[in-house]
């Protein structure tokens, strides 16, 4: 018998719908998607993989600034955004460019953000995203606040936020979950557990059985999902969003995934802390391969269709980086003027001093 202060905690098993060869292993968890929606999911994942490959090259050419690769995490990123409504709000971390672009942010503005340009942070009207947060975990508090606003207004909307396994070690993570649990907020906290917080393996991040277990202390629902299985991710986020809209509170989703490339293009060398065998094992779970096999078996995907998506992605990235590069260069006076609708007197004085 357990002691009075002990809490019995069971192990969790990741929610999966597809095996690595694309066969269905959990028909009951299959999300209700039309054939066209299934194809659109694949199109977005292929597009995102191609965009990521081009972005890595653009960074090496000096045409982008900070960039965090996403290859390997397309299922958790594309699938989670696909499960949302456009009026739901995304509070991303710095690796979460795909979610906010698919949610409506023009790609050239994502490139401007990477280049440190002020206009990269000017979100178009009606696009319900914040710019990616560099401070680890800070976006979790932002999502908590957005979700509180939705609850106060009685709106059937949810706020979703993302961090990595390293972010789950931050104080902001625990504060956000605790607040969301206390006030039963319509929030979804997605931890993309890609195995490493830069170089620190997950085994050194926590003594907990999983990130999903941390929901217990916050009084919210915790779910672990196979983050390489796009259909499982869609299902988990659809369910979490429904709970949030119905006033049933927040959900913590731990997506078990893997980044194939470095943590960022700013000097990280994953060969220093990951083995070739480990990477090869995860490559067998590639989310694109798994979902491609599923669609091919259903007669919904072909090599020709995929090649067309790859070409479209390459052309789009080329157009969008040119647009970013042709954007008016930043100036100090322009930066000051962009901060407020009416520039305060003290900033006008600073601008005048600069121009003097």
């Amino acid at each position: 018998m357990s002691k009075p202060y002990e809490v019995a905690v069971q192990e969790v098993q990741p929610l999966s719908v597809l095996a690595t060869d694309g066969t269905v292993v959990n028909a009951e968890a299959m999300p209700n998607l039309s054939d066209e929606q299934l194809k659109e999911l694949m199109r977005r994942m292929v597009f995102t993989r191609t965009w990521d490959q081009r972005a890595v090259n653009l960074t090496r050419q000096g045409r982008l600034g900070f960039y965090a690769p996403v290859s390997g995490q397309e299922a958790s990123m594309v699938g989670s955004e696909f499960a949302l409504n456009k009026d739901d709000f995304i509070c991303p971390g710095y690796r979460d460019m795909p979610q906010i672009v698919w949610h409506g942010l023009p790609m050239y503005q994502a490139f401007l953000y990477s280049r440190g340009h002020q206009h990269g942070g000017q979100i178009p009207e009606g696009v319900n995203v914040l710019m990616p947060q560099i401070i680890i975990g800070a976006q979790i508090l932002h999502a908590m606040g957005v979700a509180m606003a939705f609850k106060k207004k009685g709106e059937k909307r949810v706020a979703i936020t993302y961090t990595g396994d390293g972010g789950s070690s931050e104080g902001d993570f625990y504060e956000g979950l605790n607040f969301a649990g206390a006030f039963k907020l319509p929030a979804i906290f997605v931890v993309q557990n890609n195995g490493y917080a830069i170089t620190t393996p997950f085994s050194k991040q926590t003594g907990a059985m999983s990130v999903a277990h941390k929901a217990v202390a916050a009084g919210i629902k915790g779910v672990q999902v196979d983050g390489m299985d796009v259909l499982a991710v869609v299902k988990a986020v659809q369910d979490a969003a429904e709970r949030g809209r119905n006033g049933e509170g927040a959900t913590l989703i731990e997506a078990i995934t893997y980044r194939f490339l470095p943590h960022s293009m700013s000097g990280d060398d994953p060969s220093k802390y990951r083995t070739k065998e480990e990477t090869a094992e995860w490559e067998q779970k590639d989310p694109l391969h798994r979902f491609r096999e599923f669609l091919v078996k259903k007669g919904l995907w072909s090599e020709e269709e995929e090649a067309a998506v790859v070409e479209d992605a390459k052309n789009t990235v080329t157009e969008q980086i040119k647009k970013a590069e042709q954007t008016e260069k930043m100036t100090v006076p322009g930066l000051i003027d962009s901060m407020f609708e009416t520039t305060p007197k003290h900033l006008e004085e600073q601008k005048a001093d600069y121009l003097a």
Side-chain angles (χ1 to χ4, degrees):
M1 180 180 294
S2 64
K3 296 179 181 179
Y5 53 83
E6 290 180 342
V7 178
V9 180
Q10 296 179 337
E11 291 189 23
V12 295
Q13 293 296 323
L15 172 68
S16 295
V17 174
L18 301 177
T20 55
D21 64 357
T23 58
V24 177
V25 294
N26 188 355
E28 291 183 1
M30 178 71 71
N32 184 21
L33 299 175
S34 67
D35 287 350
E36 285 306 309
Q37 287 176 311
L38 292 172
K39 293 182 67 172
E40 177 61 17
L41 261 179
M42 186 62 186
R43 186 188 76 81
R44 293 188 184 189
M45 289 207 295
V46 172
F47 189 106
T48 300
R49 175 70 60 88
T50 307
W51 159 22
D52 187 54
Q53 293 168 343
R54 294 298 302 276
V56 166
N57 289 334
L58 289 170
T59 305
R60 289 171 173 157
Q61 296 166 14
R63 298 171 72 184
L64 287 179
F66 178 82
Y67 184 72
V70 304
S71 289
Q73 296 187 214
E74 295 90 349
S76 64
M77 293 174 162
V78 173
S80 59
E81 191 283 329
F82 198 82
L84 303 173
N85 296 333
K86 286 301 181 184
D87 66 349
D88 293 328
F89 214 97
I90 298 179
C91 301
Y94 52 75
R95 198 183 304 277
D96 302 310
M97 288 297 185
Q99 297 96 303
I100 60 176
V101 168
W102 289 118
H103 212 59
L105 183 76
M107 184 184 288
Y108 85 94
Q109 286 193 260
F111 290 151
L112 286 176
Y113 171 86
S114 175
R115 292 163 64 91
H117 197 292
Q118 69 198 64
H119 294 312
Q122 291 182 312
I123 310 298
E125 188 71 28
V127 177
N128 296 304
V129 305
L130 294 181
M131 288 312 299
Q133 179 57 247
I134 288 292
I135 301 172
I136 307 299
Q139 66 273 20
I140 295 167
L141 300 183
H142 300 160
M144 175 201 72
V146 172
M148 174 62 92
F150 291 159
K151 181 168 184 175
K152 290 281 190 182
K153 294 180 179 180
E155 298 179 358
K156 297 292 186 180
R157 301 164 69 184
V158 299
I160 189 170
T161 188
Y162 301 84
T163 192
D165 45 293
S168 71
S169 297
E170 293 289 331
D172 289 352
F173 174 80
Y174 294 98
E175 292 168 17
L177 265 62
N178 185 66
F179 194 91
F183 291 94
K184 217 167 186 179
L185 300 184
I188 304 172
F189 304 99
V190 179
V191 175
Q192 297 183 93
N193 186 349
N194 60 24
Y196 295 88
I198 307 183
T199 61
T200 304
F202 181 67
S203 61
K204 295 185 178 180
Q205 285 285 337
T206 180
M209 295 173 69
S210 73
V211 172
H213 278 92
K214 298 186 179 187
V216 175
I220 66 176
K221 187 172 181 63
V223 177
Q224 193 179 77
V225 63
D226 182 345
M228 310 295 268
D229 179 351
V230 69
L231 295 181
V233 173
V234 170
K235 175 62 174 173
V237 177
Q238 282 180 338
D239 289 350
E242 183 178 2
R243 284 194 293 271
R245 295 188 220 286
N246 292 339
E248 298 171 25
T251 302
L252 170 62
I253 299 175
E254 178 186 14
I256 306 298
T257 183
Y258 197 79
R259 55 173 170 84
F260 293 149
L261 297 175
H263 170 79
S264 77
M265 299 306 297
S266 300
D268 176 44
D269 180 2
S271 69
K272 301 292 185 182
Y273 54 91
R274 301 193 312 199
T275 65
K276 292 181 180 179
E277 292 76 16
E278 176 187 285
T279 300
E281 180 181 346
W282 276 97
E283 285 175 347
Q284 298 302 310
K285 304 175 184 180
D286 189 322
L288 270 67
H289 170 74
R290 183 183 306 198
F291 196 46
R292 182 187 298 117
E293 290 298 303
F294 169 73
L295 292 182
V296 168
K297 291 172 183 177
K298 290 176 66 69
L300 295 177
W301 198 250
S302 66
E303 291 183 4
E304 292 76 17
E305 287 175 292
E306 185 153 335
V309 175
V310 170
E311 189 65 22
D312 178 45
K314 289 179 178 179
N315 292 337
T316 299
V317 171
T318 297
E319 294 168 0
Q320 294 293 299
I321 191 63
K322 285 183 178 178
K323 187 171 183 178
E325 291 172 334
Q326 293 168 357
T327 300
E328 181 183 6
K329 302 297 182 184
M330 287 180 62
T331 65
V332 171
L335 177 60
I336 291 174
D337 287 338
S338 70
M339 293 173 66
F340 297 92
E341 185 174 0
T342 302
T343 305
K345 181 180 178 181
H346 72 283
L347 289 181
E348 287 287 4
E349 291 171 351
Q350 290 181 31
K351 184 171 66 174
D353 289 342
Y354 177 83
L355 292 171

